[in-house]
Amino acid sequence: MKTTEKISDRVLNMEESATLKMAGLARALRAAGKEVISLSLGEPDFDTPDHIKEAAKKALDDGYTKYTPVPGLLELRKAISNKFKRDNNLDYSENQIVVSNGAKQSLANLSLSLLNPGDEVIILAPYWVSYFEIVRLSGAKPIIIETDISQDFKASPAQLQAALTDKTRFILFSSPCNPTGSVYTQSDLEALAAVIKDREDILVVADEIYEYINFTDKHFSIGSIPYLKDRTITVNGFSKGYAMTGWRLGYIGAPEWVAKACIKIQGQVTSGANAFAQKAAAYALEAPMDASNKMKATYLKRKELIMDLLSQIDGMQVNHPTGAFYIFPDISALLGKSYQGQKIETDEDFSAFILNEAHVAVVPGSAFGCNGCIRISYAASDAEIIEACKRIKTYVEKLEG
Ligand code: PMP
Ligand code: GLU
């Protein structure tokens, strides 16, 4: 290697995003002429609703083509502040809101703003794949609470208690959860909150990006628990509920001192997010939710379909998601079996087997901190779901041993 070609230790020590990697492998197989069904990437298969696109077109015509304030257009921050009150019983003023290029950037801002090397972040597993590396980017240490299907992949208060140390800086989780689809209910969250009630040095980072794809009666925000009000950062975004992944818009509501730190770092790295996208997003938040509700109803039907189909596969233990658009079956009973003499030892081997033989892309659970499971995104048509499950069943039935 030439001496000029030296990558930083930071990047050398970082894992590639497993979701994006699987999506790339699926794309490559497809380019090689295979009929691949990709259920790997967590992305709505719907297009952004027309009324939001129209608002963006109008914003362009109206001259929203310039830099915006670093934390976002005041109009959008006001709309987000109203949304937090309306939907979440959360009280964040516009000075407590920072809009970023996706919730991914919001999380990176938080990590870089709040953490020092040696700090610990408790991550409830299975966790979204990027949490781990985003925390490590700051030099802090991810402390993983492992859960399994028998507890619906939700951490218990006793587990949280056991993970706390004097170095704990914040707790990070998503609900509805990517990758499991589990939802932490109000009582689940109150029980977890009680554990840290008196640890006023500990913050909570609640990623609620799947809020609008919640099949339970009501989404509950942990920040609405009065004693956590000044200690909770609520992360959200437009990618999932509004099918706006490519628009790159996420946001936080946070204590003002946290918001200020995030603005400082964002001001040096990217500045304000896209101007006309922000304008359309402000409109989306206040417009009727019919399109999002329709998408949610469709995801719910697909969830029933995929649960039914996967349940018919011997060796797959299927969980019962109540939100997002993922299912996270436990395939550990299939590990140790062989296909054409090749042993399948891990969920990674299993995912590679399903991709290469059945031409269905899924993501290994280990990427989310949970061995022996796979994540399947059902943000796909009924026909794709039916065909994918048929192929998975066919190949699982070929396993021996
Ligand atoms: N959090 C979770 C739990 C996610 O699934 C995603 C999806 N990529 C994100 C954050 C980031 O979303 P985005 O950057 O598209 O807003
Ligand atoms: N959140 C999605 C997923 O988990 C999008 C891909 C990514 O950003 O990692 O698949």
Side-chain angles (χ1 to χ4, degrees):
M1 195 198 274
K2 285 187 231 133
T3 48
T4 44
E5 292 180 15
K6 253 174 91 179
I7 305 289
S8 71
D9 292 346
R10 193 176 301 112
V11 173
L12 287 176
N13 292 332
M14 183 185 265
E15 291 285 335
E16 182 184 353
S17 161
T19 48
L20 302 182
K21 184 175 161 191
M22 281 310 279
L25 287 176
R27 234 174 264 134
L29 259 187
R30 204 176 274 148
K34 308 285 184 216
E35 273 188 33
V36 177
I37 303 177
S38 183
L39 305 181
S40 55
L41 195 62
E43 174 162 48
D45 55 325
F46 299 105
D47 197 2
T48 305
D50 282 343
H51 65 287
I52 305 175
K53 288 194 206 167
E54 290 306 322
K57 290 179 200 166
K58 180 164 184 314
L60 266 176
D61 288 341
D62 289 347
Y64 281 84
T65 57
K66 309 278 190 204
Y67 288 133
T68 70
V70 175
L73 291 171
L74 183 59
E75 180 185 340
L76 174 56
R77 283 181 289 129
K78 280 192 168 149
I80 292 171
S81 172
N82 290 339
K83 176 251 176 275
F84 274 136
K85 279 197 197 82
R86 179 190 70 206
D87 297 345
N88 310 106
N89 192 25
L90 292 171
D91 202 6
Y92 295 111
S93 72
E94 51 275 14
N95 296 337
Q96 295 179 270
I97 288 160
V98 184
V99 178
S100 301
N101 295 300
K104 217 175 215 175
Q105 188 189 15
S106 304
L107 289 159
N109 282 346
L110 287 169
S111 172
L112 296 172
S113 298
L114 294 173
L115 300 172
N116 282 317
D119 287 344
E120 292 180 356
V121 173
I122 296 178
I123 303 180
L124 311 189
Y127 50 78
W128 177 46
V129 66
S130 293
Y131 289 169
F132 194 86
E133 294 300 338
I134 286 175
V135 165
R136 286 201 333 131
L137 197 56
S138 66
K141 189 172 170 202
I143 303 293
I144 307 303
I145 296 184
E146 291 183 7
T147 65
D148 63 30
I149 197 165
S150 70
Q151 58 191 118
D152 191 21
F153 298 111
K154 292 196 274 188
S156 69
Q159 286 181 296
L160 177 58
Q161 183 71 55
L164 293 176
T165 72
D166 57 0
K167 297 197 185 98
T168 309
R169 189 72 187 99
F170 62 78
I171 295 160
L172 173 58
F173 68 101
S174 63
S175 177
C177 174
N178 177 3
T180 62
S182 296
V183 172
Y184 281 88
T185 63
Q186 177 167 356
S187 60
D188 293 333
L189 292 173
E190 283 171 347
L192 291 175
V195 175
I196 52 156
K197 183 173 182 191
D198 297 329
R199 281 291 305 268
E200 290 182 4
D201 55 325
I202 297 180
L203 302 167
V204 175
V205 177
D207 183 344
E208 304 189 355
I209 196 162
Y210 294 95
E211 172 186 3
Y212 292 148
I213 314 171
N214 186 338
F215 312 130
T216 68
D217 292 346
K218 177 116 183 74
H219 177 84
F220 183 79
S221 294
I222 192 167
S224 66
I225 296 174
Y227 60 82
L228 285 185
K229 178 176 184 293
D230 297 326
R231 288 163 52 191
T232 302
I233 297 123
T234 307
V235 179
N236 210 323
F238 294 86
S239 286
K240 315 293 173 173
Y242 294 101
M244 289 171 65
T245 44
W247 296 57
R248 309 308 304 128
L249 279 183
Y251 58 87
I252 55 165
E256 199 167 344
W257 62 271
V258 176
K260 275 190 178 149
C262 290
I263 293 167
K264 190 169 172 188
I265 195 152
Q266 184 163 301
Q268 291 290 20
V269 180
T270 58
S271 298
N274 175 306
F276 54 89
Q278 287 189 55
K279 184 81 178 151
Y283 169 77
L285 283 177
E286 302 199 326
M289 290 293 290
D290 302 1
S292 296
N293 289 336
K294 215 167 141 193
M295 290 188 249
K296 179 169 100 169
T298 308
Y299 292 133
L300 180 58
K301 279 201 204 121
R302 292 168 175 177
K303 183 199 79 160
E304 303 298 338
L305 174 67
I306 197 162
M307 272 179 62
D308 178 39
L309 295 171
L310 293 177
S311 304
Q312 295 170 30
I313 301 177
D314 275 350
M316 232 183 231
Q317 199 187 342
V318 178
N319 66 316
H320 291 221
T322 46
F325 38 61
Y326 306 105
I327 191 159
F328 201 68
D330 183 321
I331 50 111
S332 50
L334 299 171
L335 301 181
K337 294 183 182 279
S338 302
Y339 177 70
Q340 293 184 344
Q342 192 110 15
K343 209 161 188 188
I344 293 174
E345 311 264 22
T346 63
D347 52 62
E348 284 178 334
D349 294 347
F350 183 82
S351 303
F353 160 65
I354 290 298
L355 177 63
N356 294 326
E357 304 300 332
H359 298 151
V360 176
V362 301
V363 188
S366 47
F368 307 96
C370 188
N371 296 332
C373 295
I374 53 170
R375 187 190 78 172
I376 305 179
S377 162
Y378 57 84
S381 68
D382 285 3
E384 284 175 305
I385 292 170
I386 291 167
E387 174 63 18
C389 291
K390 191 171 129 199
R391 291 189 197 175
I392 295 173
K393 187 168 191 292
T394 304
Y395 278 89
V396 165
E397 284 170 359
K398 292 181 195 234
L399 291 175
E400 293 173 337

